[in-house]
Amino acid sequence: MTASMTGFAAHSLNLDHASVNIDLRSVNQRFLELHFRLGDEFRALEPQLRELINQRLARGKVECRISLTMPPAATLDNGLNPDILERLAHWQADVLQRLPDSAPLSVNDILRWPGAVPTAALSQDALNEAALAGMRAALDELVESRQREGAKLKQHILDRLAAAEAQVAGLAPLLPALAAAQRERLTERLHEALGEAGHERLAQEIVLAAQKADIDEECSRLTTHFAEVRRVLNQAGAIGKRLDFLMQELHREANTLGSKSVAVETSRVSLELKVLIEQMREQVQNIE
């Protein structure tokens, strides 16, 4: 399935006294580039997290955020920590003795003091297991998000591809008449320049000009490249680089078609093809 490099996923995994939150964001990038913003509790997991992402994604700039939230429910109903309270009282008395004008500690100051309110102890092993499980679930969501976006990109490319194929198919029946008109015009000009004595030279110049103006080979190669684009779009895995190469080849053939044009019809088709190929190329840049 065609996948985009753009996607987002958010997953939370609730423990008894905490919540592990994982955010994944990915955007376009030539290769796979990973950036981690991990809470202190999860920094040691970065190598394992990298391995999990590498197993699922091939291209894109991916940002991974993992944080730990301790909700109010995690607070133990055991009152305040007496050691902390005694220490704060001692410190406050000492400060007020030395600085009588200082404001005393408020209830809010005490409750916010680290360790004043006992919280549930969390096992590091449990946190690691939750983070890795959450990452697997978030990666599933991210891959699905990229595939949904990829399906839209694929349809966009197929629509433009069909329009490009129609342009080339419409030009093919006109080629014999365009070639005949070119030979007639060239014959008249060379006859005026060379006169009756230049029949042999005239024939050589006509053949040479016809070869230079022949666009049948370009039309054939365009048709072949169109078919290859369709084939690649139906492949699994990372196909973006292959499609980008095909867009370059299509653009080269469309340019050659325009440079060899000897009629308004071929110039118009060349221009239309360039527009359609550029529209496809812009979307190909988003494909994994």
Side-chain angles (χ1 to χ4, degrees):
M1 181 178 292
T2 303
S4 169
M5 285 187 282
T6 302
F8 171 78
H11 188 80
S12 294
L13 199 150
N14 295 321
L15 304 177
D16 290 339
H17 305 293
S19 176
V20 177
N21 309 303
I22 300 173
D23 286 350
L24 291 175
R25 302 170 186 269
S26 68
V27 294
N28 302 352
Q29 182 62 280
R30 188 175 180 183
F31 304 103
L32 182 61
E33 181 180 326
L34 306 182
H35 297 271
F36 292 91
R37 288 172 172 78
L38 307 178
D40 293 338
E41 302 84 358
F42 307 108
R43 293 190 186 279
L45 288 178
E46 183 173 328
Q48 293 171 266
L49 297 171
R50 283 184 177 275
E51 184 178 354
L52 287 176
I53 296 176
N54 280 321
Q55 290 172 357
R56 302 295 303 276
L57 306 178
R59 295 177 67 201
K61 181 179 180 180
V62 182
E63 181 179 301
C64 171
R65 296 175 181 266
I66 303 182
S67 61
L68 181 66
T69 301
M70 304 287 288
T75 301
L76 298 176
D77 191 16
N78 292 334
L80 298 175
N81 187 325
D83 293 336
I84 295 293
L85 289 179
E86 184 177 349
R87 195 177 306 166
L88 288 174
H90 175 74
W91 288 342
Q92 178 172 249
D94 191 20
V95 170
L96 291 176
Q97 182 180 358
R98 298 171 183 272
L99 302 170
D101 295 333
S102 299
L105 288 170
S106 67
V107 174
N108 188 48
D109 292 333
I110 296 172
L111 293 177
R112 292 169 56 189
W113 195 271
V117 181
T119 57
L122 293 171
S123 163
Q124 187 60 52
D125 289 342
L127 287 177
N128 291 350
E129 184 178 343
L132 293 174
M135 172 60 80
R136 293 186 185 95
L139 278 171
D140 288 340
E141 295 179 18
L142 181 65
V143 169
E144 290 176 3
S145 171
R146 287 163 57 122
Q147 287 178 344
R148 288 193 299 270
E149 180 68 17
K152 297 177 183 177
L153 296 177
K154 178 180 179 180
Q155 189 57 53
H156 178 97
I157 293 171
L158 287 175
D159 290 343
R160 273 64 185 176
L161 188 64
E165 288 172 326
Q167 290 290 335
V168 175
L171 182 62
L174 304 178
L175 294 183
L178 293 176
Q182 168 66 2
R183 285 196 299 271
E184 184 177 346
R185 288 194 299 270
L186 186 59
T187 299
E188 292 178 359
R189 293 176 183 176
L190 289 175
H191 187 71
E192 292 175 0
L194 300 175
E196 295 294 338
H199 287 299
E200 183 177 348
R201 174 74 182 278
L202 178 63
Q204 293 174 349
E205 292 294 336
I206 290 175
V207 170
L208 183 61
Q211 290 175 346
K212 290 182 178 179
D214 183 17
I215 58 172
D216 184 67
E217 185 177 351
E218 283 69 31
C219 291
S220 178
R221 282 200 291 260
L222 282 167
T223 301
T224 300
H225 292 331
F226 292 152
E228 181 65 8
V229 171
R230 288 187 179 276
R231 188 189 70 81
V232 173
L233 281 171
N234 289 322
Q235 286 184 330
I239 60 174
K241 290 183 179 180
R242 177 64 177 171
L243 287 174
D244 187 55
F245 170 76
L246 287 170
M247 292 301 118
Q248 295 177 34
E249 292 300 303
L250 285 171
H251 196 270
R252 183 179 294 110
E253 296 302 333
N255 268 337
T256 305
L257 186 67
S259 67
K260 294 174 72 172
S261 175
V262 293
V264 174
E265 291 85 347
T266 51
S267 296
R268 180 192 60 78
V269 169
S270 173
L271 180 59
E272 290 294 330
L273 286 175
K274 289 178 184 179
V275 172
L276 292 167
I277 293 167
E278 180 61 23
Q279 290 174 347
M280 288 190 286
R281 191 194 66 81
E282 289 176 356
Q283 300 307 319
V284 164
Q285 303 306 310
N286 300 319
I287 293 179
E288 184 178 22

